[in-house]
Amino acid sequence: MTKPPPLLSPGRSRPPAPSPTTEKHFSSLRGINPIIELTNKLFSPTFSSSLRIRSSIVFAYGFGLCFAIVLCILLFVFNTYHSPLLLKPRSHKLSSLQSPIATEESHHPTLPFSLNNEKLYSMKMGAPSAFSNEIFNNPIADEKENGKNGEIRLDLMKKCNMYNGNWVRDDDDDLYPLYPAGSCPYIDEQFNCYLNGRRDNGYEKLRWQPNGCNIPRLNGKKMLKLLKGKRLVYVGDSLNRNMWESMVCILRNSVEDKSKVFEASGRNEFRSEGWYSFVFADYNCSVEFFKSTFLVQEWESKGIDGSKKLTLRLDILERSSDSYRGADILVFNTGHWWTRRRTSRGKGYFQEGSIVYNKLNIRTAFAKAMKTWTNWVDTNVDPTKSTVFFRGYSPAHFRGGKWDSGGKCDKETEPIKNESSLSEYPLKMRILEQVIEQMKTPIVYLNISTMTDYRKDAHPSIYRKSNVSTTAEEIRLSMINQDCSHWCLPGVPDVWNELIYAHLLIKHYDS
């Protein structure tokens, strides 16, 4: 057996062995003072070796126990921050107007409403919530929040294409339309189909069902809380005015004291002026509209003979842009006026700087105008403070002619059910998408072109203004032109605003 190492360093002499008298003295002390006995054992080589073995075993068990505790804590934290946020489902009274939603993923009865892949907060009843604030204080108790079609998951909404889906019927009168037909005094006559005599109201009962996710029903009260102290501004042509009036009516319908909702200038007609602002006094917010058919500036240039010539400045954003520069939410659109004869021909109409082009291809002109718009957004919009939307092209449904040559849609009462009957995807939107890809500022592109193309049933047609005639035939004969471009309200623009609401919810939770 190997001898234990010396307790003293080399060179020092070992102390003499204790005498029998000393040994006898220590033996008597062992029974009196156990500390001395313990000290002797601790310094014993055999005991030290045994103690090292036992310490290793204790250390191993201790390390394993600590590791298990840490793992349990991590699992607890992970489950806490990744538990689903549940909201009420929508109505089960559904009937697909195209093809049934075949996959479980696209229409699952228990899809939870969660947030995103990184942070998912629990809002189950009785559970602590990171978002138990004034906006989402008690989401499950609100029966109208999402209807009954399946719970909402924002993480799925972020992954799926919300613009690919079906129009489905929801006959629950408490859910759709989002405001009763004829109840909103701020709908322009040309959009107020109900007051103009239309009684087939099936178009009011359709909602959009994306494949792979659900979108929430627009809750006016919660939308107003999201807008508290902010400006929501729509900029564009009459189709954006269509959408703006839809949002005003949705929000107004959720306000108890409607006297506190008013147009800032006291106007009740919204076609003649270039700017309108509805104030929601209880929330210190405004919902505004700026008329801008091209987004770039219409211009008057002087000819050689001194005559005035109307042109379109492709290099300058329209002049009201300074008024909405700092808005919190901006919704832009353009498109329909680019199809008019003077614009589409492009002869002597487009201008950059002092140069008026004798002939410029419409595609090139539109790309230049969109580049001017994106440059303005990149220069003037702070993405940490403002959210920018661009709503895509809204297809028209004239049959038998164009808008000014006898085109009709008054007999359409059902959406298109066959994809092969849809129009081609608008070339202008492909150009827009290419321009947006080059932007520095993040843009939410509301790609509503295809989903809206199905809705040939929802235009004002012959019900674009009030008429005292009693039969549909008399109304038809009294109308020279039908409106198969704009949309009845309530109707399709309400769904566009639901998509805005969905995107704002995602941004709210992500922040």
Side-chain angles (χ1 to χ4, degrees), residues 124-354:
K124 294 180 180 179
M125 295 298 289
S129 169
F131 284 112
S132 293
N133 55 25
E134 62 172 339
I135 298 178
F136 299 95
N137 195 28
N138 191 7
I140 297 180
D142 187 355
E143 178 68 22
K144 292 186 177 182
E145 172 65 15
N146 295 292
K148 304 171 186 175
N149 76 307
E151 291 158 330
I152 309 299
R153 285 184 59 177
L154 283 177
D155 60 327
L156 291 182
M157 287 167 53
K158 292 175 67 175
K159 294 177 181 178
C160 85
N161 180 358
M162 286 190 282
Y163 309 99
N164 181 20
N166 298 279
W167 289 96
V168 295
R169 190 175 302 281
D170 195 321
D171 290 322
D172 192 331
D173 292 335
D174 292 332
L175 299 177
Y176 290 94
L178 297 176
Y179 47 97
S183 68
C184 185
Y186 304 125
I187 298 177
D188 274 337
E189 183 184 45
Q190 69 177 129
F191 308 146
N192 209 330
C193 302
Y194 176 80
L195 292 185
N196 292 338
R198 181 169 181 175
R199 290 296 177 265
D200 60 302
N201 65 346
Y203 67 93
E204 299 174 359
K205 308 299 294 181
L206 302 180
R207 64 171 179 82
W208 180 247
Q209 175 63 61
N211 296 331
C213 64
N214 297 314
I215 59 174
R217 177 184 183 275
L218 202 164
N219 184 308
K221 290 182 179 180
K222 292 183 180 181
M223 182 66 177
L224 281 169
K225 290 177 180 178
L226 285 171
L227 295 177
K228 191 172 184 178
K230 298 179 180 179
R231 295 176 65 196
L232 167 58
V233 175
Y234 294 81
V235 184
D237 57 27
S238 56
L239 272 299
N240 246 22
R241 177 162 54 87
N242 215 175
M243 188 179 182
W244 165 70
E245 292 181 10
S246 161
M247 180 63 82
V248 170
C249 292
I250 293 171
L251 299 181
R252 178 185 180 273
N253 189 55
S254 68
V255 174
E256 293 183 7
D257 187 353
K258 292 178 172 48
S259 66
K260 294 185 178 180
V261 180
F262 53 88
E263 203 283 317
S265 301
R267 291 171 291 198
N268 293 314
E269 193 280 330
F270 310 110
R271 299 183 64 179
S272 58
E273 302 296 330
W275 170 74
Y276 303 92
S277 175
F278 268 94
V279 176
F280 292 79
D282 287 340
Y283 297 88
N284 189 32
C285 69
S286 62
V287 182
E288 307 171 35
F289 172 70
F290 285 83
K291 180 182 178 181
S292 178
T293 54
F294 297 102
L295 295 184
V296 289
Q297 183 61 54
E298 293 181 276
W299 198 260
E300 281 188 353
S301 61
K302 291 185 178 180
I304 300 176
D305 57 354
S307 61
K308 293 182 179 180
K309 181 178 179 61
L310 183 65
T311 60
L312 187 65
R313 288 290 299 269
L314 302 175
D315 56 340
I316 301 177
L317 206 70
E318 54 96 15
R319 61 172 57 94
S320 63
S321 58
D322 286 342
S323 300
Y324 53 75
R325 184 195 307 266
D328 302 276
I329 303 168
L330 288 158
V331 184
F332 293 92
N333 99 293
T334 190
H336 282 265
W337 283 67
W338 292 86
T339 64
R340 302 296 174 95
R341 285 191 177 91
R342 179 169 53 187
T343 314
S344 59
R345 288 174 181 172
K347 293 183 177 180
Y349 182 57
F350 298 119
Q351 179 177 353
E352 283 187 290
S354 59

